[in-house]
Amino acid sequence: MTPFGEKLRQLRDQRGVSQKDMAKAIGVSAAYLSALEHGRRGQPTWDKLQRIIQYFNIIWDEAEELQRLAMISHPRITIDTGGLSPAATELTNLIAAHIRDLDSSAVQSLIDQVKKSTDKRRR
């Protein structure tokens, strides 16, 4: 499941909406919605994302958060390390090879470290 898929399911559950009903309302198949929630489909198109936001009638910060989650929820990514250091290439390959072996606390630790590092650079 992707971060977007997890949030989408959470929104549906909170509102007591079935995949079938939501899919019909936003003009997609229930199979597509299921695949989106389970991470078997990549990011929704801008149009589909807007239909989801309108369907749940969410605004401002919550809509922005849903858009952010969609942007970071592609289940199959490619990372180009050309021009980066050998260490960056090694890190990328290690993560690719072992991501399934990492427990949730190790994954969260890596996320926190990357966010902390990039936040420092922005300042």
Side-chain angles (χ1 to χ4, degrees), residues 48-94:
K48 286 185 178 92
L49 182 58
Q50 294 309 306
R51 283 189 259 160
I52 291 167
I53 288 169
Q54 289 174 1
Y55 178 78
F56 288 120
N57 196 30
I58 56 178
I59 58 171
W60 307 111
D61 292 344
E62 194 173 8
E64 193 173 286
E65 175 66 5
L66 196 60
Q67 292 171 4
R68 185 190 72 78
L69 291 174
M71 296 296 294
I72 62 166
S73 290
H74 200 292
R76 293 177 192 92
I77 60 166
T78 302
I79 301 173
D80 179 1
T81 61
L84 299 179
S85 70
T89 300
E90 179 182 7
L91 173 62
T92 304
N93 280 279
L94 281 170

Side-chain angles (χ1 to χ4, degrees), residues 5-50:
E6 181 178 44
K7 181 65 175 180
L8 187 57
R9 175 172 283 174
Q10 181 185 57
L11 287 167
R12 274 193 326 94
D13 288 347
Q14 287 172 349
R15 289 162 172 83
V17 177
S18 71
Q19 281 182 343
K20 183 179 178 181
D21 290 341
M22 181 180 170
K24 184 177 181 182
I26 65 171
V28 299
S29 69
Y32 170 81
L33 203 53
S34 176
L36 196 58
E37 285 188 8
H38 288 93
R40 293 186 305 273
R41 291 292 299 230
Q43 301 160 331
T45 64
W46 178 254
D47 178 60
K48 286 185 178 92
L49 182 58
Q50 294 309 306

Side-chain angles (χ1 to χ4, degrees), residues 111-123:
I111 290 169
D112 293 343
Q113 288 177 328
V114 170
K115 284 182 177 179
K116 183 178 177 183
S117 177
T118 56
D119 286 346
K120 283 182 183 177
R121 278 197 198 156
R122 289 183 190 151
R123 293 179 193 163

